[in-house]
Amino acid sequence: MDYRHICVDTSIGPVGAVISDVDLSDPLSDDVTSELHRAWLDHKILFFHDQEALTPATQAAFGERFGKLDVYPFMHAVDGHPNVIPIIKEPDATVNFGGGWHTDTSYVEKPPKATILHAVEVPTSGGETLFADAGRAYEDLSEGMRTWLEGLIGIYSPRAVHGRDGAYTKLKAASGDLGGSYGGSENFAESEVEHPIIRTHEETGHKSIYGGRAHVWSFKGWARDESKPILKFLTDHLTQDQYVTTFKWRKGSVAMWDNRCVFHYALNNYPGERRHMHRVIVQGARPG
Ligand code: SIN
């Protein structure tokens, strides 16, 4: 693929590309934005280093080049920047945010197509994020499995993570570990929405595994206990080494991933150290 305005290096792993020659804190020209968009659709995740000049305002402005920004329902935003949330793990915390395989906020009617994460402060080692190519993982399934999965609708809900008995709710009550910014409406945390388990990307036309263990409560018409082993199989399948890229953050790094075809997992392997990120999400379409 030819790019005139950006450098695209795909040697990082099975999914994603490292982009250089771009300063994201500067307003981006239409030409640069359109090349970044093309590279993002081709490689599913764009990684950037040395973006220390990025502020909450310029991170939001960068996100807005790709669509309308959304408000994340379970975290209070950075002061004055309603679309930018802090993701912080303090040195004495034992639990981290995003420490399980998931796609962001898939339990809302129109889940975000993009997430843009900026590393404000990183531990001296560890704190990597793993990214899995759910599109290639889908293509490698047998024809029989693909056909069967395509008939399944998921009941997507924040309940298992953020609900009354959810994992984060219990952890916050026990330790306060998720930080002062974590919160949200209890009613919304128990809400449900229907989306397909296999999603067709509305820009590329490619199919991908979309439903995972974190946010699919059950398949429509199935019991949760019946659904869980299949959801586990899908997550185990798509997180095999051949689909996964490990991103090592530096202070100032940025990752922009496509939630329609990528799962991610924030490693919790830096005890005693602080990690501080800023995140924005860009609104997407209803999955089809
Ligand atoms: C997230 O799940 O959005 C956070 C990922 C990370 O902190 O690496």
Side-chain angles (χ1 to χ4, degrees):
M1 235 1 133
D2 264 5
Y3 295 96
R4 290 181 46 230
H5 303 281
I6 57 175
C7 285
V8 178
D9 176 356
T10 58
S11 62
I12 185 162
V15 62
V18 178
I19 308 296
S20 48
D21 281 1
V22 189
D23 180 350
L24 302 181
S25 68
D26 274 347
L28 297 182
S29 68
D30 290 346
D31 286 346
V32 171
T33 306
S34 121
E35 285 202 352
L36 287 173
H37 185 242
R38 184 153 57 85
W40 183 58
L41 293 181
D42 284 347
H43 302 295
K44 305 180 181 179
I45 315 157
L46 302 183
F47 301 111
F48 306 83
H49 290 298
D50 306 320
Q51 304 293 330
E52 286 175 70
L54 206 62
T55 61
T58 54
Q59 184 178 354
F62 171 59
E64 276 166 349
R65 296 296 273 147
F66 299 91
K68 191 174 173 306
L69 301 188
D70 255 340
V71 169
Y72 179 65
F74 293 109
M75 194 80 87
H76 302 299
V78 170
D79 269 354
H81 301 281
N83 303 108
V84 183
I85 59 158
I87 297 179
I88 300 174
K89 180 170 176 258
E90 298 292 356
D92 59 350
T94 52
V95 177
N96 70 332
F97 178 86
W101 284 106
H102 65 288
T103 56
D104 285 327
T105 328
S106 55
Y107 42 74
V108 297
E109 202 181 310
K110 292 181 177 174
K113 60 181 177 184
T115 299
I116 300 166
L117 192 65
H118 179 224
V120 178
E121 187 179 343
V122 293
T124 51
S125 69
E128 301 88 351
T129 306
L130 311 181
F131 293 95
D133 186 339
R136 263 198 50 219
Y138 166 78
E139 284 158 19
D140 289 347
L141 290 168
S142 66
E143 196 189 331
M145 185 72 178
R146 290 199 307 264
T147 307
W148 180 69
L149 288 170
E150 275 173 40
L152 289 180
I153 298 294
I155 306 296
Y156 290 69
S157 173
R159 184 182 297 129
V161 180
H162 306 285
R164 271 184 287 281
D165 296 318
Y168 280 9
T169 313
K170 285 186 186 153
L171 288 167
K172 184 169 164 88
S175 64
D177 266 7
L178 289 162
S181 293
Y182 181 70
S185 138
E186 239 191 59
N187 281 347
F188 177 69
E190 295 291 331
S191 65
E192 294 181 345
V193 65
E194 293 181 13
H195 293 314
I197 293 300
I198 303 302
R199 164 172 199 172
T200 304
H201 195 293
E202 53 296 351
E203 292 185 86
T204 64
H206 295 143
K207 289 183 177 167
S208 178
I209 299 169
Y210 187 61
R213 298 168 78 175
H215 298 323
V216 177
W217 183 255
S218 65
F219 301 132
K220 186 175 180 182
W222 291 44
R224 178 158 165 79
D225 283 351
E226 294 165 346
S227 312
K228 275 164 87 173
I230 313 285
L231 292 165
K232 179 176 180 320
F233 165 78
L234 289 177
T235 306
D236 289 349
H237 169 68
L238 72 88
T239 57
Q240 293 175 87
D241 287 354
Q242 68 266 32
Y243 306 123
V244 175
T245 292
T246 301
F247 185 56
K248 292 182 192 307
W249 298 90
R250 304 178 204 154
K251 183 175 162 66
S253 301
V254 170
M256 171 174 168
W257 61 87
D258 190 334
N259 284 302
R260 299 167 289 191
C261 51
V262 169
F263 278 59
H264 60 282
Y265 184 127
L267 291 181
N268 184 7
N269 55 355
Y270 49 101
E273 296 209 61
R274 190 169 201 265
R275 182 176 183 271
H276 178 181
M277 319 293 273
H278 281 163
R279 192 182 89 165
V280 302
I281 48 178
V282 183
Q283 202 172 86
R286 189 169 185 123

